[in-house]
Amino acid sequence: MKKTVSLLLLLFLFTTITACTGQSDKDQASKEKQTIDLTISAAASLKDALTDLQHTYEKKHPDVNLHFNFGASGTLQQQISQGAPVDLFFSAAQDKFEALVKDGSIEKKDGTDLAGNDLVLIVPKGSDSGIKSFSDLTNNSVKKVSIGTPEAVPAGQYALESFKNMKVWREVKPKLVYAKDVRQVLSYVETGNVDAGVVYRTDALVSKKVKIAASADPESHSPIVYPLGVIKDSKHKAEAQKFYTFLKSDSSVKTLEKYGFKKIN
């Protein structure tokens, strides 16, 4: 009788241990299959190029989900400074990026200048406004001109610099319609809510509803540079570094060039 009880007890313990071990193995396998979510705050002008690169990267790395927060670089910079949970920052302006380096959010060794762009003046596709240059914005027939809010939108700051250097600022200022980012400027022009707008060449190229009336002289504004960096307090630093390396690769830079960005030597 005692032997029978002992055997039953051993059998119970063995079954319990096996079940626990099996569950432990399942839990471990589940952890290994868990995906990592990376959040990238990026300038609105990068939306199309990064969406393209997202498909490529996630296909090769099914364990990583990329989440993009597109907006004005100045707004994104402030969010990160205030502790927003972000893994990488892709800015359209060096000063916004340098502000994060200065406050310790990004270590200089974890950043690089990745791409460049051009500033252009756009009008609706079927426009008969006669706008063919920045100086034409001073004409009385031109009532509304849109740019990004200079304090937060780098393209707006570049536009402001260009207007002043081209000596048209005084006449254009009363006509300005400010937007939250370059994509909103693009939308205003596409819908005909304004006569013209100033955006990056990359924004103009993705729309079939606008045409480029003129390009700003690069000497009329600060250099347009897009810095990329890993946030120091990223909760997924290793994965963030891998995506950072991917974005710096030749194939990724070629994709950026496909969308109109300029390679930085």
Side-chain angles (χ1 to χ4, degrees):
M1 183 69 178
K2 288 182 179 180
K3 287 183 178 181
T4 302
V5 172
S6 297
L7 287 171
L8 288 172
L9 182 58
L10 286 171
L11 180 62
F12 173 78
L13 289 173
F14 176 78
T15 303
T16 301
I17 291 171
T18 302
C20 290
T21 301
Q23 185 61 45
S24 178
D25 290 341
K26 287 180 180 179
D27 290 343
Q28 183 62 31
S30 177
K31 287 181 180 179
E32 291 175 354
K33 291 181 180 179
Q34 284 181 352
T35 56
I36 298 297
D37 293 323
L38 287 182
T39 299
I40 302 93
S41 286
S45 52
L46 287 159
K47 185 174 182 178
D48 299 279
L50 287 182
T51 299
D52 191 336
L53 289 168
Q54 176 183 14
H55 297 321
T56 301
Y57 192 78
E58 289 183 341
K59 189 175 181 179
K60 293 181 179 179
H61 301 82
D63 58 328
V64 176
N65 288 326
L66 302 176
H67 299 281
F68 292 99
N69 177 27
F70 294 107
S73 296
T75 301
L76 299 175
Q77 175 244 313
Q78 290 177 4
Q79 291 172 353
I80 295 171
S81 291
Q82 292 167 8
V86 176
D87 299 293
L88 296 100
F89 180 43
F90 205 163
S91 174
Q94 286 180 307
D95 62 337
K96 311 304 181 189
F97 189 85
E98 287 301 323
L100 293 181
V101 172
K102 188 174 181 179
D103 72 17
S105 298
I106 296 175
E107 292 189 58
K108 203 166 187 66
K109 66 180 180 63
D110 291 329
T112 187
D113 291 337
L114 193 58
N117 214 331
D118 293 314
L119 197 69
V120 298
L121 177 66
I122 59 172
V123 296
K125 192 80 170 183
S127 173
D128 58 358
S129 62
I131 299 174
K132 296 180 179 180
S133 67
F134 281 82
S135 61
D136 287 336
L137 298 178
T138 63
N139 296 340
N140 292 332
S141 59
V142 179
K143 305 299 182 183
K144 294 180 180 180
V145 179
S146 184
I147 67 171
T149 304
E151 293 76 16
V153 185
Q157 179 59 40
Y158 299 137
L160 177 61
E161 292 176 10
S162 292
F163 289 153
K164 290 183 176 180
N165 287 320
M166 293 178 188
K167 311 299 182 185
V168 299
W169 172 244
R170 185 171 61 83
E171 293 88 348
V172 174
K173 184 179 180 181
K175 305 178 182 184
L176 292 179
V177 176
Y178 295 104
K180 65 177 182 178
D181 55 43
V182 284
R183 288 308 168 95
Q184 189 171 61
V185 175
L186 182 65
S187 176
Y188 286 163
V189 179
E190 287 178 330
T191 55
N193 285 321
V194 297
D195 299 301
V198 180
V199 298
Y200 296 119
R201 183 177 299 278
T202 51
D203 299 297
L205 292 177
V206 299
S207 176
K208 296 181 179 179
K209 298 179 180 180
V210 305
K211 61 182 179 181
I212 297 175
S215 298
D217 182 344
E219 297 298 320
S220 70
H221 56 75
S222 303
I224 300 175
V225 178
Y226 283 67
L228 166 71
V230 178
I231 303 302
K232 183 179 179 180
D233 293 333
S234 166
K235 293 183 179 179
H236 309 291
K237 197 70 175 283
E239 290 78 8
Q241 287 283 0
K242 287 180 181 178
F243 185 56
Y244 170 76
T245 300
F246 166 77
L247 289 176
K248 293 195 300 175
S249 68
D250 290 340
S251 61
S252 293
V253 171
K254 286 181 180 178
T255 297
L256 289 170
E257 290 180 298
K258 182 179 77 173
Y259 284 90
F261 290 94
K262 298 163 67 175
K263 184 177 180 180
I264 292 182
N265 298 320

